[in-house]
Amino acid sequence: GAGVSQSPSNKVTEKGKDVELRCDPISGHTALYWYRQSLGQGLEFLIYFQGNSAPDKSGLPSDRFSAERTGGSVSTLTIQRTQQEDSAVYLCASSSDSQYQPQHFGDGTRLSIL
Amino acid sequence: DQQVKQNSPSLSVQEGRISILNCDYTNSMFDYFLWYKKYPAEGPTFLISISSIKDKNEDGRFTVFLNKSAKHLSLHIVPSQPGDSAVYFCAAITSGTYKYIFGTGTRLKVLA
């Protein structure tokens, strides 16, 4: 069956440009997560969606970061006016609604800001 | 404040021997723990989990041990195989919340 799909797989852009990262979760999964992994670091939680709602946006690093989810399915993470410190792998994961269900991760988007 | 710590960034083990990966946590409210494995250029994949009501969970070659008093868990892989070479992350969560806290990972290399 289809897993979590992320696009693009790689993105290289110039500092100051806006980027949009997409995540297609597993069908039927109501929970969706965005993480960031910088070089040599662990997974940094960014935001969580339950359906289309994001109960907690406190993990977003700055107001240049925003995310939305529509139809309880696809989610986009937008970074405005990118900075070099935004360079990282951005991972999306989804899980069913039940407590303690393991997350299924996509392969990530590797973002490089020149 | 790093609530979940994996103090060994890397580990090398001979094929056929036991691999032991360690994870320490500081938040006593965590009651569920997971291990994920990550290959390069791929997302993490779930490996095994354990609830705080248990002290051991086994799945094939993989066993996770939980020591609540020490706030420590470990993943044992035996026998280790070259295909086990990957980065292993531990993660923890508190019931009723949604936020998984991940460690920084340990890179395991199994030598043939």
Side-chain angles (χ1 to χ4, degrees):
Chain A
V4 177
S5 177
Q6 290 188 247
S7 60
S9 54
N10 283 284
K11 177 73 177 179
V12 181
T13 192
E14 292 180 347
K15 176 181 170 182
K17 301 282 190 184
D18 297 352
V19 294
E20 193 172 276
L21 312 179
R22 177 187 167 106
C23 173
D24 273 286
I26 292 173
S27 177
H29 279 188
T30 56
L32 186 147
Y33 301 76
W34 282 99
Y35 294 89
R36 176 169 75 172
Q37 186 181 18
S38 303
L39 194 64
Q41 301 298 311
L43 276 66
E44 176 190 2
F45 169 85
L46 297 179
I47 192 169
Y48 156 78
F49 285 93
Q50 180 59 42
N52 292 337
S53 300
D56 184 354
K57 301 180 181 179
S58 64
L60 295 176
S62 75
D63 59 8
R64 297 186 294 105
F65 287 71
S66 63
E68 64 174 17
R69 188 179 185 195
T70 53
S73 181
V74 172
S75 176
T76 53
L77 176 69
T78 302
I79 310 173
Q80 295 178 307
R81 305 181 302 281
T82 52
Q83 303 293 313
Q84 287 188 328
E85 62 262 28
D86 300 335
S87 296
V89 176
Y90 289 81
L91 290 158
C92 174
S94 70
S95 67
S96 66
D97 192 26
S98 303
Q99 179 81 67
Y100 300 151
Q101 289 303 304
Q103 299 168 312
H104 298 260
F105 283 83
D107 289 339
T109 294
R110 182 174 296 278
L111 178 63
S112 299
I113 309 299
L114 302 177
Chain B
D1 177 35
Q2 190 72 21
Q3 296 185 66
V4 177
K5 299 178 184 179
Q6 293 177 256
N7 292 317
S8 298
S10 63
L11 174 70
S12 291
V13 171
Q14 206 66 35
E15 181 180 6
R17 307 295 275 266
I18 185 170
S19 295
I20 300 176
L21 297 101
N22 294 303
C23 180
D24 296 292
Y25 61 95
T26 57
N27 188 343
S28 57
M29 297 298 291
F30 289 145
D31 54 10
Y32 196 72
F33 304 88
L34 308 91
W35 284 95
Y36 286 83
K37 178 169 76 171
K38 185 182 185 301
Y39 292 120
E42 295 183 10
T45 55
F46 169 72
L47 201 53
I48 193 169
S49 62
I50 189 167
S51 164
S52 61
I53 62 172
K54 294 186 174 182
D55 54 20
K56 177 183 174 181
N57 188 26
E58 196 171 346
D59 183 2
R61 296 184 299 113
F62 303 91
T63 303
V64 55
F65 294 92
L66 175 63
N67 182 334
K68 289 187 289 294
S69 61
K71 295 192 181 70
H72 176 82
L73 66 155
S74 60
L75 174 68
H76 292 211
I77 306 173
V78 56
S80 301
Q81 300 173 353
D84 296 330
S85 297
V87 177
Y88 289 78
F89 291 96
C90 65
I93 192 170
T94 302
S95 62
T97 71
Y98 53 84
K99 195 169 177 178
Y100 291 85
I101 306 297
F102 283 80
T104 52
T106 296
R107 182 178 302 278
L108 173 67
K109 188 171 184 179
V110 180
L111 307 168

